[in-house]
């Protein structure tokens, strides 16, 4: 189970639709520092709640 800070909601909303989005766009959407969004996404990937794809 995950517990998230309220500020993470905007990031999570962008991720649940399954579309590809870059980290900078997530940070802009949420009004968070890029480093904070990177940390959140790292936790989601480590917990297998999200995957990182390739644009290639």
């Amino acid at each position: 189970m995950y517990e998230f800070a309220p500020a993470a909601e905007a990031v999570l909303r962008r991720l649940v639709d399954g579309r590809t989005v870059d980290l900078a766009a997530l940070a802009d959407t949420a009004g968070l520092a890029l480093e904070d969004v990177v940390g959140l996404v790292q936790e989601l990937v480590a917990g297998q709640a999200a995957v990182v794809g390739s644009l290639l």
Side-chain angles (χ1 to χ4, degrees):
M1 184 165 113
Y2 290 96
E3 288 188 34
F4 298 102
E9 181 179 358
V11 173
L12 297 171
R13 287 191 182 278
R14 290 283 309 266
L15 293 175
V16 296
D17 69 12
R19 295 183 195 167
T20 300
V21 60
D22 64 62
L23 294 172
L26 288 174
D28 285 344
T29 295
L32 297 171
L34 180 59
E35 295 80 16
D36 294 334
V37 173
V38 168
L40 172 59
V41 171
Q42 285 175 328
E43 289 295 321
L44 292 171
V45 170
Q48 298 181 346
V51 295
V52 176
S54 173
L55 297 176
L56 299 176

